[in-house]
Amino acid sequence: MANTPPVVSIGNHSLLSNHWQKIQPWLTYSDADGNPAQSFQFFDSGTSATSGYFWTPSNTHWAANTIIDVAASDLSDVWLSSGSVSGSETMWVRAFDGTDWSTWTSFTLTTTPNTPPVAAINDQSLHVNTWAKVENWLSYSDANGDPATKYQFWDSGTSATSAYFWTPTNSHWAANTTIEVSAADLTNLWIQGGSTTGTETMWVRAFDGSDWGSWDSFGLTTTNSAPVATIGDHSVHMGQWVTVSNWLTTSDADNDTITNYQFWDSGTAATSAYFWTPTNSHWDANTTIDVSAADLANVWIQGGSATGSETMWVRAFDGTSWGNWDSFAVTSTVNTPPVATINDQSVHVNTWVKPEGWLGTSDAEGDTITKYQFWDGGTAATSAYFWTPTNAHWAASTPIDVSASDLDSLWIQGGSATGAETMYVRAFDGTAWSSWDSFTLTSTNTAPTVAINDHTLNAAQWAQLVNWTSASDVDGDPITKYQFWDGGTDANSGYFWTSTNSHWAASTPIEVSASDLADVWVRGGTAGGSEAMYVRAFDGTSWSAWDSFSLTSLPNHAPVATVNDQTLHVNEWSQISNLVSYSDADGNPATEYQFWDGTTAANSGYFWTSANSHWPAATVIDVGAADLGDVWMRGAPPPAPT
């Protein structure tokens, strides 16, 4: 069967100059027999050096009038480049289906002229020495939609202080130099504002891969707002020193750091105020005084030696520009010394107080008090004293200097004994000391109160004094010790007992620490009667008055012990504790018992204890109350046989 050749077609196309286009999307192939294309051939009749051309991986610029063979599988690798100038040319293509070639199909490729791109930068302002990215200012457009591939910049500012371009390859591009930057590197292009104010012209243009756009000029103005320094009018006392930094206010619209100041004094009188710096202790009038901002704290003004006013000036420099001079009046005035007073005060012994709360100060001119002096006239070892962080016990008759800022750290401790002393205070306003003001400091203490009520004890009865004693102190001082006294001198009267003395003699002071009060006992007398005893307390400073209390010892009543008549079998044993009944009118417990056997017959009953298994008759048998259970009674033995 005969083969039908394939058909291939391409329409006419236009491309901008120097643009690339894949041929495959333009090409249409068909075959009536359904045979796929095996290869293609292309032909370019445009012989001009500026005309379009074919490109394949094996040849980047196919010459005109050359048949170009391309396997169908490589068709996607065939490109067409438009010409470098405008114009039209005829090109051809045909396809092979493995048997026959199609007829050649021609198409026209027209290269259209390229519209150059437009790059523009509006006029800009930069603060001196400030950096800016150029890409943030740049606008780019291309009528053909071509992206920029590179840019060129030009700086016409030839002054050493003018602005300049910076790139990673050159940190300061010279003026009147073409600076070429690829579009990919545009983000790395910077401009620094000039080191002084002024305006210069710069240029920019862009390249779209075919043509450079026109140069666009823009003005770059380096700006700076001069700083503002002001000082208000002030009054100072004659001879008073003040730091200028406390008066000065500065501002800068650009937020530049102030680097320098200048001062000027127009007061030419020998008695007028003047400036002082570490380099000149008395600056002459009508002299420019340069001071770095770092040294501003070292600029002082001293008030004149006579009253009067003069005009002074100040201005500031922000590293670029000086601000305007600002004038201010300095008036030297007479100083009135301040007044410091403390009223008479009382403090509890050994109590700490801050005199700051007592102190009153005033100054007729409203001057700030800068420091104080204190003086202690109390020379006794037990008197009150001043304390500061630098001296824990200031000696009497010593001036104590305290800055106003440290006044909160000054303390007084009340004396360790009661009494009064004179102390003093005065204040300094930066120019003059006030007069000394005296005040009396009285160290006080209220003696404690202690009491024991009258009490009654049975004969020889013990009682713990801590249960009877009550003490109080209006100052809230703790009781540290007690003293006791026994006025009963009779041998059978009551007495005190402590762990250090089991029978304190009468008319003897007995001193006991408060922590040992529970260790003090009193014993009732061994015979009935009353006696006076005494107690007083000590609060660490003062003894209370003696408080007397009556101790009454009641007469003792003999106890009653009974055993009812008992009947026992011959040789029967009976425990006496089960038989004895005991009572005591005074409520005293039995301490011991005595037993007696009045029958002397050999075969009579008898008492038994663990100490003697057969107590003989007519013998006193002593037994402690705790051993009563150890006493037994035995019935008589049976009679002997006859």
Side-chain angles (χ1 to χ4, degrees), residues 17-46:
S17 59
N18 295 317
H19 276 59
W20 290 95
Q21 174 64 44
K22 266 189 177 185
I23 203 73
Q24 187 178 35
W26 288 356
L27 186 144
T28 302
Y29 171 85
S30 64
D31 188 281
D33 304 319
N35 297 321
Q38 299 295 312
S39 59
F40 292 88
Q41 286 183 342
F42 297 91
F43 189 87
D44 174 15
S45 66

mmCIF file of all heavy atoms in Angstrom, residues 17-46:
data_model
loop_
_atom_site.group_PDB
_atom_site.id
_atom_site.type_symbol
_atom_site.label_atom_id
_atom_site.label_comp_id
_atom_site.label_asym_id
_atom_site.label_seq_id
_atom_site.Cartn_x
_atom_site.Cartn_y
_atom_site.Cartn_z
ATOM 1 N N SER A 17 13.377 41.401 20.040
ATOM 2 C CA SER A 17 14.783 41.148 19.741
ATOM 3 C C SER A 17 15.453 40.420 20.907
ATOM 4 O O SER A 17 15.169 40.673 22.084
ATOM 5 C CB SER A 17 15.503 42.464 19.438
ATOM 6 O OG SER A 17 15.411 43.342 20.543
ATOM 7 N N ASN A 18 16.327 39.445 20.475
ATOM 8 C CA ASN A 18 17.137 38.678 21.433
ATOM 9 C C ASN A 18 16.296 37.857 22.401
ATOM 10 O O ASN A 18 16.732 37.591 23.526
ATOM 11 C CB ASN A 18 18.083 39.595 22.201
ATOM 12 C CG ASN A 18 19.132 40.232 21.309
ATOM 13 O OD1 ASN A 18 19.717 39.556 20.449
ATOM 14 N ND2 ASN A 18 19.347 41.532 21.481
ATOM 15 N N HIS A 19 15.125 37.459 22.018
ATOM 16 C CA HIS A 19 14.295 36.597 22.850
ATOM 17 C C HIS A 19 14.350 35.156 22.345
ATOM 18 O O HIS A 19 14.477 34.904 21.142
ATOM 19 C CB HIS A 19 12.841 37.079 22.854
ATOM 20 C CG HIS A 19 12.593 38.159 23.860
ATOM 21 N ND1 HIS A 19 13.261 39.353 23.848
ATOM 22 C CD2 HIS A 19 11.745 38.213 24.928
ATOM 23 C CE1 HIS A 19 12.850 40.115 24.840
ATOM 24 N NE2 HIS A 19 11.917 39.435 25.527
ATOM 25 N N TRP A 20 14.215 34.235 23.257
ATOM 26 C CA TRP A 20 14.277 32.811 22.934
ATOM 27 C C TRP A 20 12.882 32.206 22.936
ATOM 28 O O TRP A 20 12.034 32.572 23.737
ATOM 29 C CB TRP A 20 15.142 32.067 23.961
ATOM 30 C CG TRP A 20 16.613 32.390 23.860
ATOM 31 C CD1 TRP A 20 17.299 33.304 24.563
ATOM 32 C CD2 TRP A 20 17.516 31.784 22.961
ATOM 33 N NE1 TRP A 20 18.618 33.338 24.193
ATOM 34 C CE2 TRP A 20 18.791 32.387 23.176
ATOM 35 C CE3 TRP A 20 17.419 30.802 21.955
ATOM 36 C CZ2 TRP A 20 19.932 32.045 22.463
ATOM 37 C CZ3 TRP A 20 18.567 30.454 21.257
ATOM 38 C CH2 TRP A 20 19.806 31.073 21.503
ATOM 39 N N GLN A 21 12.685 31.197 22.057
ATOM 40 C CA GLN A 21 11.408 30.504 21.979
ATOM 41 C C GLN A 21 11.652 29.042 21.589
ATOM 42 O O GLN A 21 12.395 28.746 20.644
ATOM 43 C CB GLN A 21 10.496 31.156 20.932
ATOM 44 C CG GLN A 21 9.206 30.411 20.672
ATOM 45 C CD GLN A 21 8.310 30.365 21.890
ATOM 46 O OE1 GLN A 21 8.146 31.374 22.571
ATOM 47 N NE2 GLN A 21 7.754 29.197 22.171
ATOM 48 N N LYS A 22 11.041 28.131 22.347
ATOM 49 C CA LYS A 22 11.076 26.724 21.966
ATOM 50 C C LYS A 22 10.235 26.533 20.697
ATOM 51 O O LYS A 22 9.115 27.046 20.607
ATOM 52 C CB LYS A 22 10.510 25.851 23.075
ATOM 53 C CG LYS A 22 11.536 25.300 24.030
ATOM 54 C CD LYS A 22 10.888 24.264 24.963
ATOM 55 C CE LYS A 22 11.957 23.658 25.864
ATOM 56 N NZ LYS A 22 11.408 22.573 26.699
ATOM 57 N N ILE A 23 10.776 25.761 19.748
ATOM 58 C CA ILE A 23 10.071 25.568 18.479
ATOM 59 C C ILE A 23 8.889 24.610 18.614
ATOM 60 O O ILE A 23 7.877 24.710 17.895
ATOM 61 C CB ILE A 23 11.059 25.079 17.387
ATOM 62 C CG1 ILE A 23 10.515 25.413 15.988
ATOM 63 C CG2 ILE A 23 11.359 23.611 17.549
ATOM 64 C CD1 ILE A 23 10.593 26.865 15.671
ATOM 65 N N GLN A 24 8.976 23.648 19.540
ATOM 66 C CA GLN A 24 7.975 22.584 19.638
ATOM 67 C C GLN A 24 6.547 23.112 19.842
ATOM 68 O O GLN A 24 5.609 22.627 19.203
ATOM 69 C CB GLN A 24 8.363 21.614 20.745
ATOM 70 C CG GLN A 24 7.488 20.378 20.811
ATOM 71 C CD GLN A 24 7.948 19.410 21.903
ATOM 72 O OE1 GLN A 24 8.418 19.827 22.949
ATOM 73 N NE2 GLN A 24 7.811 18.112 21.633
ATOM 74 N N PRO A 25 6.337 24.125 20.777
ATOM 75 C CA PRO A 25 4.956 24.600 20.971
ATOM 76 C C PRO A 25 4.336 25.229 19.726
ATOM 77 O O PRO A 25 3.116 25.307 19.604
ATOM 78 C CB PRO A 25 5.098 25.625 22.102
ATOM 79 C CG PRO A 25 6.362 25.247 22.790
ATOM 80 C CD PRO A 25 7.270 24.741 21.713
ATOM 81 N N TRP A 26 5.165 25.702 18.755
ATOM 82 C CA TRP A 26 4.653 26.329 17.532
ATOM 83 C C TRP A 26 4.304 25.303 16.453
ATOM 84 O O TRP A 26 3.518 25.581 15.545
ATOM 85 C CB TRP A 26 5.704 27.282 16.946
ATOM 86 C CG TRP A 26 5.891 28.560 17.741
ATOM 87 C CD1 TRP A 26 5.218 28.962 18.815
ATOM 88 C CD2 TRP A 26 6.844 29.574 17.449
ATOM 89 N NE1 TRP A 26 5.659 30.167 19.270
ATOM 90 C CE2 TRP A 26 6.692 30.589 18.419
ATOM 91 C CE3 TRP A 26 7.837 29.757 16.487
ATOM 92 C CZ2 TRP A 26 7.459 31.742 18.447
ATOM 93 C CZ3 TRP A 26 8.606 30.910 16.502
ATOM 94 C CH2 TRP A 26 8.416 31.901 17.486
ATOM 95 N N LEU A 27 4.870 24.105 16.526
ATOM 96 C CA LEU A 27 4.840 23.145 15.418
ATOM 97 C C LEU A 27 3.639 22.211 15.538
ATOM 98 O O LEU A 27 3.330 21.714 16.622
ATOM 99 C CB LEU A 27 6.156 22.359 15.410
ATOM 100 C CG LEU A 27 6.412 21.392 14.256
ATOM 101 C CD1 LEU A 27 7.898 21.419 13.899
ATOM 102 C CD2 LEU A 27 6.040 19.973 14.705
ATOM 103 N N THR A 28 2.952 21.954 14.372
ATOM 104 C CA THR A 28 1.829 21.001 14.311
ATOM 105 C C THR A 28 2.201 19.874 13.332
ATOM 106 O O THR A 28 2.635 20.129 12.198
ATOM 107 C CB THR A 28 0.553 21.682 13.836
ATOM 108 O OG1 THR A 28 0.240 22.753 14.715
ATOM 109 C CG2 THR A 28 -0.611 20.688 13.810
ATOM 110 N N TYR A 29 2.012 18.617 13.744
ATOM 111 C CA TYR A 29 2.364 17.446 12.910
ATOM 112 C C TYR A 29 1.138 16.548 12.774
ATOM 113 O O TYR A 29 0.407 16.324 13.748
ATOM 114 C CB TYR A 29 3.499 16.662 13.571
ATOM 115 C CG TYR A 29 3.785 15.328 12.899
ATOM 116 C CD1 TYR A 29 4.622 15.250 11.793
ATOM 117 C CD2 TYR A 29 3.197 14.148 13.365
ATOM 118 C CE1 TYR A 29 4.869 14.031 11.172
ATOM 119 C CE2 TYR A 29 3.444 12.929 12.748
ATOM 120 C CZ TYR A 29 4.287 12.876 11.646
ATOM 121 O OH TYR A 29 4.531 11.653 11.037
ATOM 122 N N SER A 30 0.929 16.043 11.542
ATOM 123 C CA SER A 30 -0.138 15.060 11.315
ATOM 124 C C SER A 30 0.306 14.079 10.232
ATOM 125 O O SER A 30 1.169 14.398 9.396
ATOM 126 C CB SER A 30 -1.442 15.752 10.910
ATOM 127 O OG SER A 30 -1.286 16.411 9.659
ATOM 128 N N ASP A 31 -0.289 12.862 10.287
ATOM 129 C CA ASP A 31 0.045 11.831 9.304
ATOM 130 C C ASP A 31 -1.216 11.034 9.027
ATOM 131 O O ASP A 31 -1.815 10.478 9.967
ATOM 132 C CB ASP A 31 1.160 10.917 9.822
ATOM 133 C CG ASP A 31 1.667 9.959 8.758
ATOM 134 O OD1 ASP A 31 1.002 8.939 8.511
ATOM 135 O OD2 ASP A 31 2.750 10.256 8.213
ATOM 136 N N ALA A 32 -1.659 10.987 7.715
ATOM 137 C CA ALA A 32 -2.912 10.301 7.363
ATOM 138 C C ALA A 32 -2.865 8.827 7.688
ATOM 139 O O ALA A 32 -3.903 8.196 7.956
ATOM 140 C CB ALA A 32 -3.200 10.509 5.857
ATOM 141 N N ASP A 33 -1.645 8.283 7.706
ATOM 142 C CA ASP A 33 -1.500 6.849 7.996
ATOM 143 C C ASP A 33 -1.298 6.612 9.488
ATOM 144 O O ASP A 33 -1.142 5.458 9.917
ATOM 145 C CB ASP A 33 -0.311 6.278 7.208
ATOM 146 C CG ASP A 33 -0.448 6.516 5.701
ATOM 147 O OD1 ASP A 33 -1.582 6.366 5.211
ATOM 148 O OD2 ASP A 33 0.567 6.868 5.091
ATOM 149 N N GLY A 34 -1.240 7.681 10.213
ATOM 150 C CA GLY A 34 -1.040 7.538 11.665
ATOM 151 C C GLY A 34 0.386 7.241 12.062
ATOM 152 O O GLY A 34 0.655 6.814 13.198
ATOM 153 N N ASN A 35 1.323 7.460 11.105
ATOM 154 C CA ASN A 35 2.727 7.202 11.438
ATOM 155 C C ASN A 35 3.288 8.360 12.263
ATOM 156 O O ASN A 35 3.085 9.528 11.921
ATOM 157 C CB ASN A 35 3.560 7.042 10.167
ATOM 158 C CG ASN A 35 3.112 5.835 9.336
ATOM 159 O OD1 ASN A 35 2.773 4.792 9.897
ATOM 160 N ND2 ASN A 35 3.106 5.985 8.007
ATOM 161 N N PRO A 36 4.026 8.028 13.318
ATOM 162 C CA PRO A 36 4.636 9.110 14.094
ATOM 163 C C PRO A 36 5.842 9.679 13.367
ATOM 164 O O PRO A 36 6.467 9.012 12.546
ATOM 165 C CB PRO A 36 5.053 8.410 15.383
ATOM 166 C CG PRO A 36 5.314 7.004 14.966
ATOM 167 C CD PRO A 36 4.310 6.691 13.875
ATOM 168 N N ALA A 37 6.151 10.934 13.697
ATOM 169 C CA ALA A 37 7.336 11.552 13.123
ATOM 170 C C ALA A 37 8.574 10.857 13.656
ATOM 171 O O ALA A 37 8.668 10.533 14.845
ATOM 172 C CB ALA A 37 7.359 13.035 13.449
ATOM 173 N N GLN A 38 9.518 10.640 12.754
ATOM 174 C CA GLN A 38 10.787 10.043 13.141
ATOM 175 C C GLN A 38 11.867 11.112 13.269
ATOM 176 O O GLN A 38 12.750 11.000 14.110
ATOM 177 C CB GLN A 38 11.225 9.009 12.099
ATOM 178 C CG GLN A 38 10.245 7.863 11.933
ATOM 179 C CD GLN A 38 10.140 7.029 13.201
ATOM 180 O OE1 GLN A 38 11.153 6.628 13.794
ATOM 181 N NE2 GLN A 38 8.901 6.795 13.642
ATOM 182 N N SER A 39 11.789 12.163 12.446
ATOM 183 C CA SER A 39 12.769 13.247 12.503
ATOM 184 C C SER A 39 12.192 14.474 11.815
ATOM 185 O O SER A 39 11.158 14.400 11.134
ATOM 186 C CB SER A 39 14.090 12.828 11.846
ATOM 187 O OG SER A 39 13.892 12.466 10.484
ATOM 188 N N PHE A 40 12.908 15.579 12.054
ATOM 189 C CA PHE A 40 12.506 16.851 11.466
ATOM 190 C C PHE A 40 13.734 17.491 10.840
ATOM 191 O O PHE A 40 14.889 17.208 11.235
ATOM 192 C CB PHE A 40 11.926 17.797 12.527
ATOM 193 C CG PHE A 40 10.614 17.346 13.095
ATOM 194 C CD1 PHE A 40 10.565 16.485 14.197
ATOM 195 C CD2 PHE A 40 9.418 17.774 12.525
ATOM 196 C CE1 PHE A 40 9.356 16.074 14.726
ATOM 197 C CE2 PHE A 40 8.208 17.356 13.058
ATOM 198 C CZ PHE A 40 8.161 16.506 14.150
ATOM 199 N N GLN A 41 13.488 18.370 9.894
ATOM 200 C CA GLN A 41 14.540 19.197 9.320
ATOM 201 C C GLN A 41 14.084 20.655 9.343
ATOM 202 O O GLN A 41 12.903 20.946 9.110
ATOM 203 C CB GLN A 41 14.872 18.775 7.883
ATOM 204 C CG GLN A 41 15.652 17.483 7.778
ATOM 205 C CD GLN A 41 16.032 17.121 6.342
ATOM 206 O OE1 GLN A 41 15.451 17.647 5.367
ATOM 207 N NE2 GLN A 41 17.015 16.232 6.203
ATOM 208 N N PHE A 42 15.071 21.513 9.687
ATOM 209 C CA PHE A 42 14.796 22.952 9.740
ATOM 210 C C PHE A 42 15.776 23.657 8.818
ATOM 211 O O PHE A 42 16.910 23.186 8.574
ATOM 212 C CB PHE A 42 14.945 23.476 11.169
ATOM 213 C CG PHE A 42 13.966 22.870 12.126
ATOM 214 C CD1 PHE A 42 14.291 21.711 12.834
ATOM 215 C CD2 PHE A 42 12.710 23.426 12.293
ATOM 216 C CE1 PHE A 42 13.385 21.139 13.703
ATOM 217 C CE2 PHE A 42 11.806 22.859 13.166
ATOM 218 C CZ PHE A 42 12.135 21.705 13.871
ATOM 219 N N PHE A 43 15.331 24.834 8.304
ATOM 220 C CA PHE A 43 16.159 25.596 7.368
ATOM 221 C C PHE A 43 15.904 27.072 7.637
ATOM 222 O O PHE A 43 14.765 27.514 7.776
ATOM 223 C CB PHE A 43 15.783 25.235 5.924
ATOM 224 C CG PHE A 43 16.700 25.801 4.885
ATOM 225 C CD1 PHE A 43 17.853 25.117 4.505
ATOM 226 C CD2 PHE A 43 16.421 27.023 4.262
ATOM 227 C CE1 PHE A 43 18.695 25.650 3.533
ATOM 228 C CE2 PHE A 43 17.263 27.545 3.297
ATOM 229 C CZ PHE A 43 18.411 26.854 2.929
ATOM 230 N N ASP A 44 17.008 27.868 7.715
ATOM 231 C CA ASP A 44 16.936 29.312 8.013
ATOM 232 C C ASP A 44 17.518 30.049 6.818
ATOM 233 O O ASP A 44 18.691 29.856 6.469
ATOM 234 C CB ASP A 44 17.729 29.613 9.281
ATOM 235 C CG ASP A 44 17.819 31.105 9.580
ATOM 236 O OD1 ASP A 44 17.063 31.882 8.988
ATOM 237 O OD2 ASP A 44 18.646 31.458 10.463
ATOM 238 N N SER A 45 16.677 30.914 6.214
ATOM 239 C CA SER A 45 17.159 31.647 5.041
ATOM 240 C C SER A 45 17.667 33.043 5.379
ATOM 241 O O SER A 45 18.060 33.799 4.483
ATOM 242 C CB SER A 45 16.033 31.767 3.998
ATOM 243 O OG SER A 45 14.977 32.591 4.504
ATOM 244 N N GLY A 46 17.642 33.418 6.661
ATOM 245 C CA GLY A 46 18.073 34.774 7.030
ATOM 246 C C GLY A 46 19.563 34.831 7.198
ATOM 247 O O GLY A 46 20.114 34.301 8.177
#
